Amino acid sequence: MKTVVGTANEPIKVSAFADFKEITKARLTLSVVFSSVAGYFLGATSINFTILTLLVFGGYCMVGASNAFNQVIEKDLDALMNRTKNRPIPSGRMSVNNALIIAVLMTLAGIVSLYYINPKTAMFSAISVFLYTCLYTPLKTKTPLSVFVGAFPGAIPFMLGWVAATNDFGIEPGTLFMIQFFWQFPHFWALGWMLDEDYKKGGFKMLPTGEKDKGTIAQIIMYTIWMMIVSILPVFGITGDLHLSIFAAVLVFLIGGVMLFFAFRLFQNRDNISAKKLMLASVSYITLMPIVYVVDKFV
C-alpha cells in the first residue's frame, strides 16, 4: 500500500493493484474489450473459447498499454488538471520507469496473444497502439484534429473481433469500424465540452472550433447522423455476411436517435448538463448497439 494526501490532507491508502487499474484505465479498457468480443461473436460461425480468451487478454494488454504510454507522455500535463493530478505518475505513487515497464510488457504480451489468433489481428492491434501513442497523444496539445486521428485507433476494437473470428478484413469489419469511428466524435466532443476548462489547463485542444459554441455542436450533430446511417446499413443486405433484421435496425436507429436528441438539446442549451447527458447517451449507445447486433444474429 502507498499513501497519498487527500483533499482534506488526510492520508489515503492506494494499493499497487489500484494503481495498475488506474495506469491501464481498467474500466475504459474493459469497455473496449467488450466491443471486440461483440465483434468476435458477430464474425464467428462457432465459438472457440481459446481464441475468445486470447482476444480478451490480448485486447486488454494492448489497450491498457496504450493508456499507460499515454500517461507517461502526458505526466507533466496531467499534474496541471484536477481530474488527472492524482493519477499514479503525477502523484508520485508510480515512477515513469515502472509505468514504461508495464506498458512495454503488456504490448509484447498483447501482440503475442493476438498473433496466436492470427497475424491480421495482431497487426491491426499494433497499428492501434502506434496511432494512439505516437500520433493522437502528441497532437492533443497541437490541434483539434487530434480527435479525428484518435478516432482511427478508437474504431479498431469492434472490427478487430470480426478479424479475430474470420482472419479476414472486408466490408463487414469495415462497417463495424465506421460505426465506432463516427460514434467517437459526439462522445469525445461532449466530454471535451464538459471538461473544457480543465483541458485548457493542460493545453489540450479537444473541441473542433476550439470553443463551446454552435459550430462545435453542429459537427456533433452531423457525426451523430452519420453514425446512425452507417449503423443500419446491414439491414439493406449490402454489407456481406454482416446482417441486421428490420426490427434490430429500428432499435439501433432509435438508440442513436436518443443521442441525436441530446445533441440538439446541447445545441439549444449550450451547457455542461446537456453535454453530460449526451456523453452518457453515447456510452449507452456503444454498450447497447453491439448487444442488439449480437442478439439479432443468434435469436
Side-chain angles (χ1 to χ4, degrees), residues 11-246:
I12 300 174
K13 296 295 184 179
V14 180
S15 69
F17 181 65
D19 279 342
F20 175 80
K21 290 194 298 181
E22 180 70 15
I23 201 74
T24 60
K25 294 185 181 177
R27 290 177 61 184
L28 172 63
T29 300
L30 288 173
S31 69
V32 174
V33 171
F34 169 78
S35 68
S36 293
V37 171
Y40 175 82
F41 280 118
L42 291 175
T45 54
S46 61
I47 307 303
N48 184 315
F49 287 99
T50 299
I51 291 179
L52 191 58
T53 301
L54 289 170
L55 179 64
V56 170
F57 175 75
Y60 189 96
C61 284
M62 297 300 274
V63 179
S66 295
N67 291 324
F69 280 127
N70 173 268
Q71 291 184 50
V72 168
I73 295 169
E74 294 180 349
K75 62 184 187 303
D76 294 329
L77 302 179
D78 282 347
L80 302 175
M81 297 183 290
N82 293 331
R83 71 182 189 89
T84 56
K85 64 184 179 182
N86 287 321
R87 283 177 173 175
I89 299 175
S91 69
R93 300 193 309 272
M94 181 181 292
S95 69
V96 171
N97 286 341
N98 285 345
L100 278 174
I101 290 171
I102 290 172
V104 171
L105 290 179
M106 290 185 73
T107 301
L108 294 175
I111 290 176
V112 170
S113 301
L114 298 177
Y115 188 86
Y116 184 84
I117 296 174
N118 60 61
K120 288 188 181 73
T121 302
M123 177 191 71
F124 281 121
S125 189
I127 290 173
S128 177
V129 173
F130 173 80
L131 291 175
Y132 187 88
T133 303
C134 299
L135 293 180
Y136 167 67
T137 296
L139 283 175
K140 287 162 67 177
T141 57
K142 306 297 183 184
T143 172
L145 288 174
S146 61
V147 175
F148 177 79
V149 174
F152 283 90
I156 287 177
F158 199 16
M159 67 155 233
L160 193 73
W162 185 287
V163 175
T166 65
N167 193 24
D168 184 49
F169 180 83
I171 186 66
E172 302 91 349
T175 302
L176 300 179
F177 175 91
M178 292 307 296
I179 296 171
Q180 203 159 20
F181 179 81
F182 287 124
W183 167 83
Q184 288 178 87
F185 295 96
H187 173 75
F188 281 107
W189 285 335
L191 187 63
W193 185 291
M194 292 166 50
L195 301 174
D196 184 56
E197 290 77 15
D198 212 24
Y199 274 136
K200 285 179 177 177
K201 292 178 183 177
F204 293 126
K205 306 177 187 295
M206 303 302 291
L207 297 177
T209 67
E211 300 295 335
K212 297 163 71 171
D213 57 15
K214 288 187 176 181
T216 287
I217 308 169
Q219 294 193 53
I220 288 174
I221 292 171
M222 179 186 71
Y223 279 103
T224 302
I225 292 172
W226 276 113
M227 178 201 75
M228 293 171 65
I229 293 172
V230 175
S231 69
I232 61 170
L233 286 182
V235 78
F236 298 105
I238 59 175
T239 54
D241 293 328
L242 180 63
H243 305 291
L244 201 62
S245 69
I246 294 176

